[in-house]
Amino acid sequence: MAQCSFTWVSHPFGSCTEGDLQLSCNGEVDSVLWSDGHVGFDDQLPPGDYNWQAYHNGQVVQSFPFQMKQLGWGLSVSGSYWQGGGFSISAWAEVGEYTDSAFVSGAYCDDSSIQGPCCHPVDSLTHVRLVQDGVVELAPGDCMGCESLPCYGHTVWFGNVPTGHTYHLRLHDLACGQVVDDTTQIIANSCNNLSLLVETSGTQPGTMQGQVNLLEAVPDTTESYPLHSPVSGIANLYRGLDGWNTADPPISGVSANWAGLDTGYYRVVFTPDAGCNQVTDTVYVSFSTGVNEATMPALVVAPTDDPGQIRVQVRGGVATQVRLFNAMGQELPVRKVAKGLYDIGAVPSGAYLVQVKAGGTVLTTKFLRE
């Protein structure tokens, strides 16, 4: 039978750098020698591997190895995503053991155990904050679980986090004097000016031959922490100007095509995979006007005798807005000089996308400037 056993082990935590150990021994043991040289039935030790020996009349009757563990708050990001109309971040916090610089979960806050922290955290004095761009601690705002954290483990969730910034998590334990930063950097991409390049193909009413094509989602690279092309996500097509009458199942990827449509208004709703706000573009599937129309391009962009100009023509409509984008999604200057003629003299050689609005329709085509 063992002559001695631990009655309590308080591991280093927070403001206390040494833990306490207490032994209970039967009457045969008259002294205990700890591996740090201390003699007695209790000891105070920093983190590390140790042992003790129990003696009776100068003879070793028991030897026992043990470990004094370094405890601390573990804080980790569970995920970041778009939820409920805003960017969200979730995390997990609990007191556990540090082993070789890695956090290991453990039930060190259970008062029924013989092991625990030498300083016990107080729920009401423990909270988590988001740190924006490595500098500014944000007020809790839309947050669940940020205040009064129990040390045995709790989920933290931040909602409606401002986009266009980087974030990391910080935990404050005011009772035990511990501040913990999770080094994981979370990027909340800015998608406020994300635009959709959509083209439509008309149909005779009732023949259901109309089409809506999402060519790509174009980010605004001048924003803080923007997305970069190609932007992948989930695209939905809804009938009408409001409501949620789905025209087709959702399509995942960087582009989408919906066919078999009647004339009327439709809404293309695109949700980026990167955790950004949804983007909606309203388009109109118009009446087709001729037998040969299906073989003609809806939008024609052609060079002119002047290498610094292009001619833009829209079938069955008038271009009310002309925009030019490079392969990286950046919008470039384009200036109208006459009916159907646009100056692109400041644009270098390369491949471009020309986006034209004509009435309620948005048309797009590719153009190569030599």
Side-chain angles (χ1 to χ4, degrees), residues 19-250:
D20 295 321
L21 305 100
Q22 297 180 3
L23 290 177
S24 176
C25 302
N26 63 26
E28 294 182 1
V29 175
D30 50 39
S31 65
V32 174
L33 175 63
W34 302 80
S35 54
D36 67 337
H38 176 73
V39 177
F41 292 95
D42 57 22
D43 200 359
Q44 292 183 325
L45 296 169
D49 294 317
Y50 302 93
N51 65 74
W52 51 260
Q53 293 178 329
Y55 287 81
H56 174 69
N57 291 332
Q59 299 294 320
V60 176
V61 294
Q62 186 182 3
S63 182
F64 188 82
F66 66 93
Q67 183 182 50
M68 182 62 78
K69 300 174 181 179
Q70 176 66 60
L71 305 187
W73 278 100
L75 184 62
S76 59
V77 175
S78 303
S80 57
Y81 38 85
W82 192 263
Q83 179 179 344
F87 188 72
S88 302
I89 298 172
S90 60
W92 177 261
E94 70 172 310
V95 171
E97 168 193 348
Y98 288 98
T99 304
D100 296 330
S101 300
F103 176 76
V104 180
S105 176
Y108 296 109
C109 292
D110 187 351
D111 291 334
S112 65
S113 172
I114 66 168
Q115 300 191 57
C118 58
C119 174
H120 206 288
V122 177
D123 294 6
S124 61
L125 297 178
T126 308
H127 60 264
V128 173
R129 295 289 182 265
L130 270 182
V131 182
Q132 187 182 77
D133 298 325
V135 178
V136 181
E137 279 195 20
L138 299 185
D142 294 335
C143 183
M144 294 187 297
C146 293
E147 309 294 323
S148 296
L149 265 72
C151 63
Y152 53 77
H154 200 270
T155 296
V156 179
W157 179 86
F158 295 90
N160 294 317
V161 177
T163 57
H165 300 276
T166 63
Y167 296 94
H168 73 268
L169 300 172
R170 177 174 295 163
L171 181 144
H172 294 269
D173 179 351
L174 304 180
C176 297
Q178 193 174 31
V179 178
V180 176
D181 282 272
D182 177 47
T183 58
T184 303
Q185 186 186 70
I186 308 156
I187 299 177
N189 295 105
S190 181
C191 305
N192 294 330
N193 297 322
L194 188 70
S195 61
L196 303 182
L197 297 183
V198 183
E199 66 179 11
T200 62
S201 177
T203 180
Q204 289 292 325
T207 61
M208 310 298 287
Q209 294 181 343
Q211 293 189 32
V212 173
N213 300 319
L214 170 62
L215 301 181
E216 65 174 317
V218 181
D220 180 356
T221 56
T222 64
E223 291 186 294
S224 299
Y225 299 101
L227 296 177
H228 294 282
S229 297
V231 179
S232 63
I234 299 175
N236 287 272
L237 184 68
Y238 297 98
R239 294 185 178 90
L241 297 175
D242 53 24
W244 303 105
N245 183 6
T246 307
D248 220 292

Side-chain angles (χ1 to χ4, degrees), residues 200-211 261-264 284-296 298 315-317 361:
T200 62
S201 177
T203 180
Q204 289 292 325
T207 61
M208 310 298 287
Q209 294 181 343
Q211 293 189 32
L261 304 176
D262 201 355
T263 57
Y284 184 74
V285 175
S286 62
F287 297 89
S288 60
T289 57
V291 176
N292 296 326
E293 185 179 25
T295 62
M296 295 175 59
R315 182 189 73 233
T361 303

Side-chain angles (χ1 to χ4, degrees), residues 4-25:
C4 297
S5 61
F6 285 115
T7 57
W8 179 250
V9 180
S10 298
H11 293 280
F13 175 84
S15 57
C16 51
T17 59
E18 290 185 336
D20 295 321
L21 305 100
Q22 297 180 3
L23 290 177
S24 176
C25 302

